[in-house]
Amino acid sequence: CESLKDFFEPKDEEIKSGGILKINNLVKKSQIKIIKQINEISKKNLKFDTNFENFDDNNFYCSEFVCKILKK
């Protein structure tokens, strides 16, 4: 797993901004569902890119990944 420091200081790109969000009042059942989805998707060796394309499930923009998880 990549550290936050490594994520925000990549060798190939410049990161202009970032954020950490917290979902308040999330019930335990939803937490478990989200964790299972993240674990399933992470087994697919995802690639992250700079394009927000909903039709591509192999490459994700980081907020696109979060959106996909929360919509399920």
Side-chain angles (χ1 to χ4, degrees), residues 35-44:
I35 291 168
K36 284 182 180 179
Q37 290 173 12
I38 291 170
N39 288 334
E40 267 310 301
I41 291 174
S42 67
K43 291 176 187 175
K44 296 180 181 179

PDB file of all heavy atoms in Angstrom, residues 35-44:
ATOM      1  N   ILE A  35     -16.158  -1.925   2.307  1.00  0.00           N
ATOM      2  CA  ILE A  35     -14.868  -2.603   2.466  1.00  0.00           C
ATOM      3  C   ILE A  35     -14.780  -3.823   1.557  1.00  0.00           C
ATOM      4  O   ILE A  35     -13.746  -4.062   0.918  1.00  0.00           O
ATOM      5  CB  ILE A  35     -14.633  -2.977   3.948  1.00  0.00           C
ATOM      6  CG1 ILE A  35     -14.402  -1.704   4.764  1.00  0.00           C
ATOM      7  CG2 ILE A  35     -13.454  -3.936   4.100  1.00  0.00           C
ATOM      8  CD1 ILE A  35     -14.449  -1.907   6.259  1.00  0.00           C
ATOM      9  N   LYS A  36     -15.848  -4.596   1.462  1.00  0.00           N
ATOM     10  CA  LYS A  36     -15.858  -5.768   0.568  1.00  0.00           C
ATOM     11  C   LYS A  36     -15.676  -5.344  -0.881  1.00  0.00           C
ATOM     12  O   LYS A  36     -14.930  -5.973  -1.630  1.00  0.00           O
ATOM     13  CB  LYS A  36     -17.168  -6.546   0.727  1.00  0.00           C
ATOM     14  CG  LYS A  36     -17.224  -7.372   1.979  1.00  0.00           C
ATOM     15  CD  LYS A  36     -18.534  -8.153   2.054  1.00  0.00           C
ATOM     16  CE  LYS A  36     -18.588  -8.984   3.318  1.00  0.00           C
ATOM     17  NZ  LYS A  36     -19.841  -9.738   3.428  1.00  0.00           N
ATOM     18  N   GLN A  37     -16.344  -4.267  -1.286  1.00  0.00           N
ATOM     19  CA  GLN A  37     -16.214  -3.781  -2.664  1.00  0.00           C
ATOM     20  C   GLN A  37     -14.790  -3.315  -2.952  1.00  0.00           C
ATOM     21  O   GLN A  37     -14.233  -3.614  -4.012  1.00  0.00           O
ATOM     22  CB  GLN A  37     -17.193  -2.630  -2.907  1.00  0.00           C
ATOM     23  CG  GLN A  37     -18.626  -3.059  -2.950  1.00  0.00           C
ATOM     24  CD  GLN A  37     -19.574  -1.874  -3.022  1.00  0.00           C
ATOM     25  OE1 GLN A  37     -19.161  -0.743  -3.259  1.00  0.00           O
ATOM     26  NE2 GLN A  37     -20.844  -2.135  -2.823  1.00  0.00           N
ATOM     27  N   ILE A  38     -14.206  -2.601  -2.026  1.00  0.00           N
ATOM     28  CA  ILE A  38     -12.825  -2.136  -2.207  1.00  0.00           C
ATOM     29  C   ILE A  38     -11.875  -3.325  -2.323  1.00  0.00           C
ATOM     30  O   ILE A  38     -11.004  -3.350  -3.197  1.00  0.00           O
ATOM     31  CB  ILE A  38     -12.408  -1.205  -1.050  1.00  0.00           C
ATOM     32  CG1 ILE A  38     -13.170   0.115  -1.144  1.00  0.00           C
ATOM     33  CG2 ILE A  38     -10.894  -0.963  -1.056  1.00  0.00           C
ATOM     34  CD1 ILE A  38     -13.021   1.006   0.065  1.00  0.00           C
ATOM     35  N   ASN A  39     -12.052  -4.314  -1.469  1.00  0.00           N
ATOM     36  CA  ASN A  39     -11.194  -5.499  -1.521  1.00  0.00           C
ATOM     37  C   ASN A  39     -11.361  -6.250  -2.836  1.00  0.00           C
ATOM     38  O   ASN A  39     -10.370  -6.713  -3.422  1.00  0.00           O
ATOM     39  CB  ASN A  39     -11.472  -6.423  -0.336  1.00  0.00           C
ATOM     40  CG  ASN A  39     -10.952  -5.863   0.967  1.00  0.00           C
ATOM     41  OD1 ASN A  39     -10.012  -5.075   0.983  1.00  0.00           O
ATOM     42  ND2 ASN A  39     -11.570  -6.247   2.058  1.00  0.00           N
ATOM     43  N   GLU A  40     -12.578  -6.384  -3.334  1.00  0.00           N
ATOM     44  CA  GLU A  40     -12.822  -7.068  -4.609  1.00  0.00           C
ATOM     45  C   GLU A  40     -12.162  -6.326  -5.763  1.00  0.00           C
ATOM     46  O   GLU A  40     -11.466  -6.916  -6.580  1.00  0.00           O
ATOM     47  CB  GLU A  40     -14.330  -7.173  -4.887  1.00  0.00           C
ATOM     48  CG  GLU A  40     -14.996  -8.427  -4.427  1.00  0.00           C
ATOM     49  CD  GLU A  40     -14.302  -9.710  -4.839  1.00  0.00           C
ATOM     50  OE1 GLU A  40     -14.109  -9.979  -6.037  1.00  0.00           O
ATOM     51  OE2 GLU A  40     -13.929 -10.464  -3.923  1.00  0.00           O
ATOM     52  N   ILE A  41     -12.390  -5.030  -5.823  1.00  0.00           N
ATOM     53  CA  ILE A  41     -11.834  -4.239  -6.919  1.00  0.00           C
ATOM     54  C   ILE A  41     -10.312  -4.194  -6.842  1.00  0.00           C
ATOM     55  O   ILE A  41      -9.628  -4.236  -7.861  1.00  0.00           O
ATOM     56  CB  ILE A  41     -12.448  -2.824  -6.919  1.00  0.00           C
ATOM     57  CG1 ILE A  41     -13.928  -2.903  -7.322  1.00  0.00           C
ATOM     58  CG2 ILE A  41     -11.703  -1.909  -7.874  1.00  0.00           C
ATOM     59  CD1 ILE A  41     -14.673  -1.599  -7.231  1.00  0.00           C
ATOM     60  N   SER A  42      -9.758  -4.129  -5.647  1.00  0.00           N
ATOM     61  CA  SER A  42      -8.299  -4.033  -5.517  1.00  0.00           C
ATOM     62  C   SER A  42      -7.581  -5.299  -5.989  1.00  0.00           C
ATOM     63  O   SER A  42      -6.401  -5.261  -6.318  1.00  0.00           O
ATOM     64  CB  SER A  42      -7.902  -3.699  -4.083  1.00  0.00           C
ATOM     65  OG  SER A  42      -8.216  -4.757  -3.221  1.00  0.00           O
ATOM     66  N   LYS A  43      -8.273  -6.417  -6.051  1.00  0.00           N
ATOM     67  CA  LYS A  43      -7.682  -7.660  -6.559  1.00  0.00           C
ATOM     68  C   LYS A  43      -7.444  -7.603  -8.070  1.00  0.00           C
ATOM     69  O   LYS A  43      -6.715  -8.418  -8.612  1.00  0.00           O
ATOM     70  CB  LYS A  43      -8.591  -8.848  -6.248  1.00  0.00           C
ATOM     71  CG  LYS A  43      -8.673  -9.185  -4.783  1.00  0.00           C
ATOM     72  CD  LYS A  43      -9.659 -10.315  -4.551  1.00  0.00           C
ATOM     73  CE  LYS A  43      -9.884 -10.554  -3.071  1.00  0.00           C
ATOM     74  NZ  LYS A  43     -10.931 -11.558  -2.834  1.00  0.00           N
ATOM     75  N   LYS A  44      -8.059  -6.643  -8.748  1.00  0.00           N
ATOM     76  CA  LYS A  44      -7.983  -6.543 -10.208  1.00  0.00           C
ATOM     77  C   LYS A  44      -6.751  -5.787 -10.707  1.00  0.00           C
ATOM     78  O   LYS A  44      -6.618  -5.531 -11.881  1.00  0.00           O
ATOM     79  CB  LYS A  44      -9.245  -5.871 -10.751  1.00  0.00           C
ATOM     80  CG  LYS A  44     -10.489  -6.674 -10.503  1.00  0.00           C
ATOM     81  CD  LYS A  44     -11.702  -5.965 -11.057  1.00  0.00           C
ATOM     82  CE  LYS A  44     -12.951  -6.776 -10.790  1.00  0.00           C
ATOM     83  NZ  LYS A  44     -14.147  -6.117 -11.299  1.00  0.00           N
TER      84      LYS A  44
END
